[in-house]
Amino acid sequence: MSRPLRDTRAARKLFAGRALVAGVLVFLLFSVIAARLAWLQIVNHEHFATLSDQNRIRLVPVPPTRGQIFDRKGVLLAGNLASFHLEITPEQVGSHAQMEALLEQLKTLIELSDSEINRFRRLLRRSPRYNGVPLRFNLTEDEMARVAINQFRLPGVDIRNDLTRTYPLGTHMAHVVGYVGRIDEQELARLDPAEYSGSSHIGKIGVEKSYEDVLRGKVGYQQVETNAQGRVIRVLESTPPTAGRNVYLTIDSRVQRVAELALSEANFNGAIVAIDPRNGELIAMASNPSYDPNPFVNGIDAKSYKALNTSPDRPLYNRALRGMYPPGSTIKPFMGLAGLAYNAVDRYSSIFCGGYFQLPGQDHKFRDWRRGGHGRTDLDRAITESCDVYFYDLALELGIDRIGAFLGQFGFGKPTGIDLRNEKSGLLPSQDWKRRTYNQAWFPGDTVSVGIGQGYLLVTPLQLASATATLAMGGRRFQPRIVHALEDPALRRITELPAVALPSVAAPDRRIFEWVTAFMTHVVHSERGTAFRAVGKFSAYRIAGKTGTAQVFTVGQNERYDASRLKDELLDHALFMAFAPADAPRIAVAVIAENGGHGGSVAAPLAKKVMDAYLLPTNAAGAPAGASPPP
Amino acid sequence: MSPYAFQDAPLHDREAPRPRLLARVHLDAPLLLGLLAVAAIGLVVLYSASLQDLESVIRQGTRLGLGFVVLIVLAQVPPTLLRTWTPALYAIGNLLLVAVLLVGDHSMGAQRWLDLGFVRFQPSEIMKIAVPLMLAWHFADKQLPPRVPHLLVGAVIAGVPFVLIAKQPDLGTGLVVFSAGLFALFLGGMSWKIIFGLIAAIAAVAPVFWEYGMREYQRQRVRTLFDPEADPLGAGYHIIQSKIAIGSGGLYGKGWLNGTQSHLEFLPESHTDFILGTFAEEFGLIGVCILLVLYFLIVARALRLAAGAGDTYGRIAGGTLALVFFFYAFVNTGMVSGILPVVGVPLPLVSYGGTSLVTIMAGFGILMSLHFHRRRVGH
């Protein structure tokens, strides 16, 4: 047999032999199955027939209670409310025509909207006929009574009690907490059916989605006895479900509310993120505008959804996590650190700012925001007054490779790794990136723009807050986290999640962080600082911060930026990043007010409100006491 | 009759008269009839198992129709073309499997689907075809029986996708792909010494695999198999109920639409993986035996067509596809009747669901192409 078989005849013969053996084996194995079936169906037929006749025992899944979500202080953010819903079991109704008649009959008893009936029909199509299909949720006492009285002539109609997910704070915290919704067909195809049997809902977005596995719990089973029609008569045995764990967020809902109101009262779309720099825990994460998650739980009607989805303000969009903005001048403290770290500048070296910057041998003028320039400018002054020319020059000196390497250490250009899904990574441009994306070489002018946080550089509010926290800690980094602790509801045992330290920012001399922090306090507390008039004058504690005004619209070479002539959506974004108290930081904040205009006057006061709420003692009414700007 | 019944490939080897109409479009009437018969049985059982939901039956009928269209189209593709593209198909399949693991949505349990925006599919399905073809491609220009290095390469060809699929984790499909590898090696003429050696080795490795290679839920399934009553509320429930369904059917069955196990919701997955339970309950041992005979005839006919293919590539590819079909039928009937672990393999052409159905039909289409194009290839 080991003789080489090259000729086709021999090869065919070899295969024919093997195929024959395979055919015989196939026959034998099918015979084994047939014998097994005969064993079950002939020899043991009596036994199984008896079991089948007596088979009134059915296994019914009991869905677990979903874990609740609380804020840092135990304020309920997502809970379960006992409610009653009406469902119809198609099998017991009969034909299609009978179902239509039944629906008409029900309409005379309780109010049914078209969208409810449409949703019912949709669910009806994709569930087996023996399963109850929900028609109407949250029945009132009155409606329940009317259905109950008429139940004898409503075959297949049942009132069931269950727990409905509710979000008591409504629009507040919606972007953080997210919501649950009915399991859709795509999810159904992906899920382990055993784990989700009996459950109709699943976390769709936010903490509800990211912590789905923790919140869900474990399904239980009941062994029930049924009558011949399959109706449950009694419960025989049960394996109770294990309730999902409760989740405590790091967010303080009081501070969160202040952040949300700061944006919404000033009528800005935008985001505020506040982080505890000492451990990376988020104190607030606001995105304005927001939406009410409650209608999503049992299926939002198409019209409302369309309104939310097509609104130009994009309320469903979590700007804090997914918005990508040019950081503008808020990047300058980091650029300053890069200059010091690479010895491109020292603390006292200065340049002359004449109001614009030109690349050698080029006509293009990179303008400073102050037309006349800042004169002789060192790093302190460049940060305090936000001199652009200093940073144009510094960026060119550093080059994009070193800028990228240094800023990357603060987490720019990468997801921060926060425990929420779908985080955007911002954009830290590089030569390689530009070649891949635009098939173009990197020009020195590209580097110059990056120096003042314009050009290709994009950051998310979360990244900016996290980087600010890192700066505040002298380069020590922590991964941002939104969940503080998990609680086992049965044992009432709370497990705190540990802070996750990330690699520190490499710097030859740790004092560069102290220097830049000092310069940032000048931004707020020195009379020349860009945030002095709006914030520093009234502050009860020392703040280190940096304003930013990011261009959305490119002003022509010989034109001036004139806000009154621009449409709202082309106005500059106002930004502010800060931490406080400057000498022992407990909170780091990033604010982005879309099309808000100037960072110092617009964004900085919003950040101050959030820091006040967190740092100052609260009076009985919950509003922070202490200094505040005069009305 | 010669002992090698397959040796004299019967259809057009001799001075054949004009080929029949179907043969001219590269289709084999007996095999088509067998497939149609099983498909028809499937629809009849589905009507009962889905609690007389005509919509499900129509949907499944549409899928079957699509499956037959795929079969007829693939039967027209010349094997030379197929052979040329085999490595590319295999490579793409593996890349997609890697993509599934990388793009996977990990908290959702198993990730098997790839979402291309306009269509969602399981790349593991491609491998059910690509692995047999790739193995045939590999052995086609080697000396047969293959030498050990070639066998090892063959094992790698089947092993890589198996590992990728098992990681998803989808043990059922993984085993189908892995078995394809074994079948190809066997049909390629691996020596009996090695075959028995491997069987001994597997027996030795099995305990290690049990400890380190399997997930807890997979171990649970195996444990439940040997003692379903130990976990009557959990994993054992399936097997207990399906045994009751089959056993209570007796010789003649309870009659169509009269099964109580499936209709009163005792039998889980009564229209998908466990549809054999419904069938056995309503049609009895006689019905199930007819189905088993049909399956056997399909496999036997397919092997015979493979033996008549024009070259080694066609023979091994066709034979492996035939045996993969057998593997489906055997594993499913074995698990539903409680002699094999529940690994989630559908009953071919009968279970409700579309993806594996189309793959199976595609396999038969290729098989017919390999057989009926052989004359042109030979000349």
Side-chain angles (χ1 to χ4, degrees):
Chain A
M1 281 298 281
S2 59
R3 174 177 59 93
L5 292 175
R6 271 284 178 199
D7 68 301
T8 50
R9 201 170 174 77
R12 209 156 41 171
K13 199 167 150 183
L14 171 73
F15 181 87
R18 286 299 166 101
L20 185 64
V21 172
V24 170
L25 281 175
V26 166
F27 182 81
L28 287 177
L29 287 171
F30 273 139
S31 303
V32 169
I33 299 287
R36 168 69 178 180
L37 291 168
W39 167 260
L40 294 172
Q41 298 191 287
I42 308 291
V43 181
N44 287 311
H45 172 61
E46 297 273 318
H47 169 68
F48 287 118
T50 317
L51 281 181
S52 167
D53 284 344
Q54 294 170 347
N55 209 345
R56 300 268 183 269
I57 315 296
R58 183 150 44 130
L59 208 56
V60 183
V62 185
T65 308
R66 195 173 174 86
Q68 295 173 302
I69 302 176
F70 300 96
D71 86 336
R72 179 64 175 251
K73 304 271 172 63
V75 174
L76 183 68
L77 304 177
N80 306 306
L81 202 67
S83 67
F84 296 88
H85 71 260
L86 185 148
E87 68 176 35
I88 302 179
T89 310
E91 194 182 35
Q92 290 163 9
V93 176
S95 71
H96 186 71
Q98 280 167 306
M99 178 66 84
E100 291 304 312
L102 179 65
L103 286 176
E104 286 305 316
Q105 208 178 346
L106 278 170
K107 271 190 201 164
T108 63
L109 292 172
I110 57 173
E111 217 174 291
L112 288 173
S113 71
D114 284 347
S115 71
E116 281 166 336
I117 292 183
N118 286 339
R119 177 183 58 201
F120 172 75
R121 287 193 210 280
R122 210 169 54 233
L123 293 172
L124 187 63
R125 270 199 297 278
R126 61 170 198 238
S127 66
R129 290 176 53 79
Y130 50 77
N131 272 4
V133 179
L135 170 63
R136 172 68 195 280
F137 293 93
N138 298 325
L139 292 170
T140 63
E141 297 270 327
D142 197 33
E143 288 168 330
M144 277 160 57
R146 262 177 280 157
V147 173
I149 292 169
N150 290 288
Q151 192 139 35
F152 68 95
R153 54 193 187 95
L154 299 171
V157 173
D158 287 293
I159 291 174
R160 305 238 180 249
N161 62 330
D162 58 358
L163 295 172
T164 300
R165 195 70 161 170
T166 54
Y167 303 98
L169 298 191
T171 59
H172 283 296
M173 304 281 284
H175 283 298
V176 175
V177 175
Y179 53 82
V180 300
R182 303 204 143 262
I183 298 174
D184 63 33
E185 275 171 271
Q186 279 205 357
E187 287 159 342
L188 204 59
R190 274 202 305 240
L191 298 173
D192 180 351
E195 250 179 87
Y196 278 86
S197 53
S199 305
S200 51
H201 288 73
I202 187 169
K204 297 278 186 182
I205 198 166
V207 171
E208 289 274 31
K209 176 169 176 139
S210 301
Y211 280 81
E212 169 70 19
D213 291 345
V214 170
L215 290 163
R216 185 180 61 245
K218 202 169 171 335
V219 67
Y221 285 96
Q222 269 184 348
Q223 222 180 8
V224 297
E225 188 177 337
T226 64
N227 66 12
Q229 283 80 46
R231 287 240 172 182
V232 175
I233 300 168
R234 64 192 170 116
V235 176
L236 298 174
E237 204 183 307
S238 64
T239 314
T242 313
R245 277 177 287 173
N246 296 330
V247 167
Y248 286 81
L249 302 188
T250 58
I251 303 263
D252 183 330
S253 64
R254 188 180 56 83
V255 181
Q256 170 84 8
R257 191 179 282 259
V258 169
E260 288 177 3
L261 286 178
L263 283 167
S264 62
E265 281 174 355
N267 205 15
F268 288 126
N269 291 349
I272 298 181
V273 178
I275 294 184
D276 187 334
R278 296 166 298 178
N279 49 27
E281 294 189 346
L282 266 75
I283 296 161
M285 184 162 94
S287 175
N288 194 60
S290 186
Y291 61 94
D292 183 2
N294 286 301
F296 285 89
V297 174
N298 281 317
I300 188 165
D301 63 279
K303 208 173 121 200
S304 315
Y305 183 69
K306 199 173 165 215
L308 282 172
N309 215 10
T310 55
S311 160
D313 292 328
R314 303 179 69 192
L316 296 177
Y317 174 58
N318 186 349
R319 291 170 161 80
L321 197 63
R322 294 177 56 78
M324 304 214 291
Y325 303 90
S329 301
T330 57
I331 206 69
K332 287 175 182 170
F334 302 102
M335 293 296 302
L337 283 171
L340 293 168
Y342 285 115
N343 266 323
V345 290
D346 70 37
R347 213 182 145 182
Y348 303 107
S349 56
S350 61
I351 56 127
F352 181 79
C353 167
Y356 62 88
F357 176 84
Q358 275 175 313
L359 286 165
Q362 289 188 17
D363 289 339
H364 184 93
K365 287 180 176 174
F366 292 89
R367 296 191 178 281
D368 197 281
W369 65 271
R370 185 182 284 174
R371 293 200 87 206
H374 299 263
R376 204 82 237 143
T377 307
D378 62 4
L379 184 55
D380 186 356
R381 186 164 190 182
I383 288 179
T384 307
E385 297 180 12
S386 200
C387 168
D388 289 335
V389 171
Y390 184 95
F391 288 100
Y392 289 142
D393 191 61
L394 173 57
L396 198 62
E397 173 82 25
L398 284 169
I400 191 62
D401 295 344
R402 291 201 287 181
I403 292 175
F406 191 77
L407 292 187
Q409 294 188 67
F410 283 87
F412 290 114
K414 290 187 290 281
T416 62
I418 190 177
D419 43 349
L420 282 175
R421 302 282 199 91
N422 299 326
E423 182 191 1
K424 287 277 187 194
S425 55
L427 177 58
L428 188 57
S430 65
Q431 306 197 33
D432 189 42
W433 168 83
K434 195 176 175 195
R435 198 167 310 113
R436 264 183 290 125
T437 314
Y438 294 107
N439 198 21
Q440 268 179 17
W442 183 269
F443 299 117
D446 296 332
T447 311
V448 172
S449 301
V450 167
I452 59 156
Q454 293 283 164
Y456 297 113
L457 184 64
L458 293 174
V459 304
T460 68
L462 176 64
Q463 277 176 334
L464 186 57
S466 171
T468 305
T470 305
L471 198 165
M473 293 299 288
R476 279 175 65 204
R477 261 179 95 199
F478 293 95
Q479 184 168 301
R481 284 181 308 123
I482 196 101
V483 169
H484 168 68
L486 305 177
E487 180 184 34
D488 185 324
L491 304 172
R492 296 234 141 251
R493 196 177 53 209
I494 295 184
T495 322
E496 291 193 9
L497 302 181
V500 181
L502 298 174
S504 295
V505 175
D509 185 349
R510 287 282 135 197
R511 284 180 303 168
I512 64 174
F513 290 100
E514 290 165 28
W515 299 336
V516 170
T517 298
F519 305 155
M520 285 169 65
T521 58
H522 297 163
V523 170
V524 181
H525 298 283
S526 137
E527 284 192 23
R528 314 183 69 152
T530 50
F532 175 70
R533 261 176 296 169
V535 171
K537 256 167 126 173
F538 323 105
S539 183
Y541 46 87
R542 298 283 283 178
I543 301 171
K546 182 71 195 79
T547 57
T549 306
Q551 272 184 21
V552 180
F553 171 72
T554 310
V555 182
Q557 268 292 286
N558 297 311
E559 293 172 42
R560 293 185 66 178
Y561 175 82
D562 181 359
S564 59
R565 277 172 42 210
L566 286 173
K567 286 190 195 155
D568 275 0
E569 65 263 29
L570 295 177
L571 290 179
D572 291 346
H573 293 327
L575 292 98
F576 191 62
M577 58 82 103
F579 57 87
D583 52 349
R586 281 158 55 204
I587 181 170
V589 184
V591 175
I592 286 173
E594 288 179 11
N595 315 117
H598 187 249
S601 55
V602 170
L606 306 185
K608 173 90 171 9
K609 283 187 185 178
V610 175
M611 292 192 285
D612 281 350
Y614 188 67
L615 293 174
L616 299 179
T618 50
N619 59 27
S628 59
Chain B
M1 269 285 274
S2 126
Y4 291 115
F6 298 97
Q7 185 183 334
D8 303 318
L11 287 170
H12 328 282
D13 230 18
R14 307 197 183 88
E15 291 296 307
R18 259 177 71 237
R20 298 226 196 99
L21 180 68
L22 277 176
R24 261 190 287 167
V25 288
H26 314 111
L27 296 175
D28 181 57
L31 185 49
L32 267 184
L33 275 179
L35 296 174
L36 279 170
V38 174
I41 290 179
L43 290 179
V44 169
V45 183
L46 178 63
Y47 183 68
S48 173
S50 65
L51 304 159
Q52 307 175 33
D53 177 18
L54 205 55
E55 224 179 289
S56 297
V57 177
I58 290 169
R59 229 174 307 165
Q60 180 76 351
T62 316
R63 285 184 196 135
L64 279 165
L66 176 71
F68 276 103
V69 169
V70 168
L71 183 152
I72 291 167
V73 169
L74 281 178
Q76 312 312 315
V77 178
T80 42
L81 191 69
L82 211 56
R83 189 168 167 180
T84 314
W85 284 96
T86 292
L89 180 71
Y90 176 79
I92 291 170
N94 273 316
L95 285 178
L96 290 176
L97 285 177
V98 172
V100 162
L101 288 179
L102 292 184
V103 187
D105 201 353
H106 290 291
S107 83
M108 295 298 187
Q111 173 72 16
R112 300 167 188 176
W113 298 85
L114 202 61
D115 200 337
L116 296 183
F118 57 97
V119 67
R120 264 163 25 94
F121 73 106
Q122 291 178 283
S124 51
E125 288 295 328
I126 295 181
M127 291 321 259
K128 291 179 186 168
I129 303 266
V131 168
L133 293 187
M134 188 64 200
L135 286 162
W137 184 88
H138 167 63
F139 287 122
D141 54 0
K142 307 284 183 303
Q143 295 176 353
L144 294 181
R147 288 181 297 120
V148 173
H150 298 147
L151 287 175
L152 289 180
V153 173
V156 171
I157 290 173
V160 169
F162 167 69
V163 170
L164 290 175
I165 296 170
K167 256 190 145 37
Q168 290 181 356
D170 183 356
L171 191 61
T173 310
L175 284 177
V176 170
V177 168
F178 188 67
S179 72
L182 295 182
F183 295 146
L185 294 180
F186 174 77
L187 292 174
M190 185 162 72
S191 82
W192 290 104
K193 231 190 288 174
I194 300 180
I195 292 174
F196 288 121
L198 274 182
I199 292 173
I202 288 170
V205 168
V208 180
F209 182 67
W210 169 267
E211 201 56 48
Y212 302 104
M214 289 169 90
R215 305 242 173 155
E216 182 52 37
Y217 81 94
Q218 289 164 339
R219 277 197 285 264
Q220 191 58 42
R221 281 179 176 176
V222 178
R223 270 190 223 113
T224 311
L225 171 75
F226 293 111
D227 186 14
E229 277 77 10
D231 186 15
L233 290 185
Y237 183 81
H238 277 54
I239 298 170
I240 295 172
Q241 293 300 339
S242 96
K243 273 163 66 180
I244 295 176
I246 295 172
S248 65
L251 184 58
Y252 304 105
K254 296 173 184 171
W256 190 44
L257 305 181
N258 288 332
T260 53
Q261 280 292 105
S262 50
H263 290 199
L264 294 182
E265 219 189 320
F266 294 116
L267 181 63
E269 300 183 49
S270 62
H271 64 303
T272 53
D273 282 359
F274 278 74
I275 196 166
L276 184 75
T278 310
F279 183 59
E281 184 182 18
E282 297 187 351
F283 293 86
L285 183 61
I286 293 178
V288 191
C289 283
I290 291 174
L291 184 67
L292 286 178
V293 167
L294 279 173
Y295 277 137
F296 172 72
L297 290 177
I298 288 173
V299 175
R301 181 71 190 172
L303 281 172
R304 190 169 151 149
L305 289 181
D311 55 8
T312 306
Y313 171 77
R315 280 190 292 268
I316 296 185
T320 307
L321 288 169
L323 290 180
V324 165
F325 178 80
F326 157 73
F327 186 79
Y328 268 108
F330 177 68
V331 171
N332 180 277
T333 50
M335 83 182 191
V336 175
S337 61
I339 53 172
L340 289 178
V342 179
V343 286
V345 170
L347 187 62
L349 305 180
V350 178
S351 282
Y352 183 75
T355 37
S356 70
L357 193 151
V358 174
T359 321
I360 288 167
M361 292 303 215
F364 282 117
I366 290 170
L367 180 72
M368 291 189 194
S369 155
L370 294 171
H371 179 84
F372 285 102
H373 284 87
R374 72 201 182 87
R375 306 179 91 198
R376 236 172 291 161
V377 175
H379 282 245

